[in-house]
Amino acid sequence: MPVKVVMAQKILRANEQVARENRERLNRLPTVNLISSPGAGKTTLLEKTIQSLRGEFNIGVVEGDIYTTRDAERIAGQGAEVVQVNTAGLCHLDANMVGRALDQLELDGLDLLFIENVGNLVCPAEFDLGEDYKVALLSVAEGGDKPEKYPLVFRESQAVVINKSDLLPYTDFDMNKVREEIRTINPDTRIFVTSATTGEGLEAWCAWLGDIVRRKRSATG
Amino acid sequence: MHEIGLIQTVIDEVGRAARENNIKRVTKVRLVVGRMNGAIPDALEFAFSVLSPETMFEGAELEIESVPVRLRCPRCGAESVVEELAYFCPECGARAEIVSGQELYIDYFEGDDGKEDAREGSDGPEDTAGQRAGGP
């Protein structure tokens, strides 16, 4: 006999549940989920960020990649505590993968945790991992049309890093126009312009990271 | 995109609910997908056609309601449906709130519990052993 069952259930409900559990585990540890397309410079930015901040903070990194441990090796070389997550083909990290990575980190000993997502501007924006901040990274070499083409990630991000600023003279990247487009999508987001290669702009980026560490510390006592 | 993974989740979750309701075969699944969501209806249908054979979903219909992006203006109160993602009220130009278009959920499913329909009354086969659930 025919039966109709109303579910009204979010497809990503299970992910949201695990993300809530992660957030609970990270309730004293400021966590930044770094999202960009492949090759925008996430790992290089992290290397330089760790170099700047390692004297002040103990930094952990959950390193998401589809395959290989190359990025994790680069990060470990900078003295951060790193856990590699290989998604074996999946286009984003989900809360479960991050939860398993957190099992392998000494969370109490850390001051700041980065989650380097799989290189992809689309899917990672839809999966809550339990982080405090999403940060979208966009590189000058990719072209200035990315915010309009991939609005969700820019809408969800509390900060946007425009990286590879040293390449500006060689491209038609219109910084003012891109800033304006990002502001249209998300008027509250912070924008940092950096070159991880030359070090330009890293001071402001690292100062913001220092602020979020201190802010969470004072909020959680 | 990860439509295969989303449909696998739908099959797992609906399958679990079906078993809880003693449903042997699912005949229809209805999803609601906002246009702002990255999940593409064609790709969801393709994923369903790949993952459903040889399961309780074999031959089931997948219906997808595609919800347009709707804006509400806090200044002039206008509600507008927009074709593409927009941020400003088409009526007065103020920054608008997005009120729909981000949905991604399972609305309902239909299935068959393998039992005869009691409403068929005397035309149905007799329940000689009185084994039907809820029987005296």
Side-chain angles (χ1 to χ4, degrees):
Chain A
M1 130 184 174
V3 180
K4 177 172 170 176
V5 178
V6 175
M7 292 183 73
Q9 178 184 320
K10 285 185 176 179
I11 296 178
L12 298 178
R13 184 180 71 162
N15 186 75
E16 287 172 13
Q17 172 59 33
V18 180
R20 274 195 294 276
E21 291 164 17
N22 290 349
R23 192 161 277 121
E24 186 57 35
R25 296 172 71 184
L26 296 167
N27 65 349
R28 302 176 68 88
L29 179 58
T31 303
V32 174
N33 176 7
L34 199 54
I35 301 174
S36 82
S37 17
K42 289 185 296 301
T43 310
T44 307
L45 180 73
L46 274 182
E47 286 181 298
K48 296 298 172 71
T49 303
I50 293 163
Q51 284 170 18
S52 294
L53 295 177
R54 66 188 168 197
E56 198 179 349
F57 303 124
N58 290 324
I59 298 175
V61 178
V62 175
E63 183 60 56
D65 273 301
I66 296 182
Y67 301 110
T68 82
T69 56
R70 286 183 190 185
D71 287 358
E73 287 158 17
R74 287 172 57 188
I75 296 295
Q78 300 303 330
E81 210 186 319
V82 58
V83 179
Q84 175 79 47
V85 179
N86 279 137
T87 64
L90 198 64
C91 50
H92 56 270
L93 290 177
D94 66 26
N96 254 321
M97 299 174 194
V98 171
R100 286 196 299 272
L102 296 182
D103 294 341
Q104 299 173 52
L105 285 168
E106 197 61 58
L107 298 178
D108 289 341
L110 296 176
D111 302 305
L112 175 62
L113 180 68
F114 289 101
I115 301 169
E116 183 179 337
N117 220 308
V118 174
N120 179 344
L121 268 183
V122 185
C123 311
E126 315 220 354
F127 289 81
D128 184 5
L129 305 178
E131 75 277 22
D132 296 301
Y133 301 89
K134 284 188 174 72
V135 173
L137 179 68
L138 163 72
S139 75
V140 161
E142 290 165 72
D145 57 355
K146 295 297 171 290
E148 280 201 329
K149 277 186 164 173
Y150 304 95
L152 185 63
V153 66
F154 292 93
R155 217 167 79 94
E156 298 283 317
S157 293
Q158 288 82 1
V160 175
V161 177
I162 303 177
N163 192 32
K164 305 193 188 182
S165 61
D166 53 306
L167 299 182
L168 276 168
Y170 311 105
T171 68
D172 57 2
F173 193 95
D174 184 339
M175 187 62 79
N176 288 333
K177 187 160 172 277
V178 173
R179 280 175 175 275
E180 197 180 307
E181 282 175 9
I182 293 169
R183 291 257 174 265
T184 298
I185 295 167
N186 185 347
D188 302 322
T189 198
R190 283 167 174 272
I191 300 176
F192 299 98
V193 178
T194 63
S195 165
T197 304
T198 67
E200 187 196 340
L202 289 180
E203 209 173 309
W205 159 246
C206 289
W208 180 71
L209 292 168
D211 285 347
I212 68 174
V213 172
R214 284 182 282 272
R215 202 175 308 144
K216 192 156 182 176
R217 268 186 195 160
S218 61
T220 56
Chain B
M1 269 301 289
H2 44 265
E3 280 82 354
I4 290 266
L6 293 176
I7 289 296
Q8 188 59 57
T9 306
V10 169
I11 284 180
D12 293 345
E13 296 282 313
V14 172
R16 197 160 48 87
R19 281 186 292 278
E20 283 169 11
N21 288 279
N22 295 315
I23 289 165
K24 312 280 181 257
R25 199 169 70 83
V26 173
T27 53
K28 178 177 176 178
V29 178
R30 189 173 195 278
L31 306 181
V32 176
V33 181
R35 296 219 183 116
M36 256 178 77
N37 194 286
I40 313 224
D42 279 354
L44 292 170
E45 279 166 20
F46 173 72
F48 191 74
S49 74
V50 170
L51 294 173
S52 57
E54 293 172 35
T55 69
M56 73 195 307
F57 293 82
E58 174 132 28
E61 177 196 353
L62 179 69
E63 184 180 300
I64 299 174
E65 180 188 344
S66 176
V67 182
V69 181
R70 187 171 281 114
L71 303 178
R72 184 186 296 134
C73 178
R75 187 163 76 186
C76 76
E79 276 214 17
S80 337
V81 171
V82 288
E83 279 307 308
E84 281 189 19
L85 180 56
Y87 307 95
F88 300 104
C89 172
E91 301 295 326
C92 77
R95 181 167 280 277
E97 296 161 13
I98 295 165
V99 290
S100 78
Q102 293 178 292
E103 298 77 359
L104 182 63
Y105 67 91
I106 306 163
D107 185 9
Y108 66 81
F109 67 94
E110 291 173 356
D112 198 308
D113 61 7
K115 292 177 188 165
E116 295 300 328
D117 192 337
R119 288 168 299 182
E120 285 171 19
S122 57
D123 291 330
E126 254 183 88
D127 186 12
T128 46
Q131 286 167 335
R132 213 170 256 175

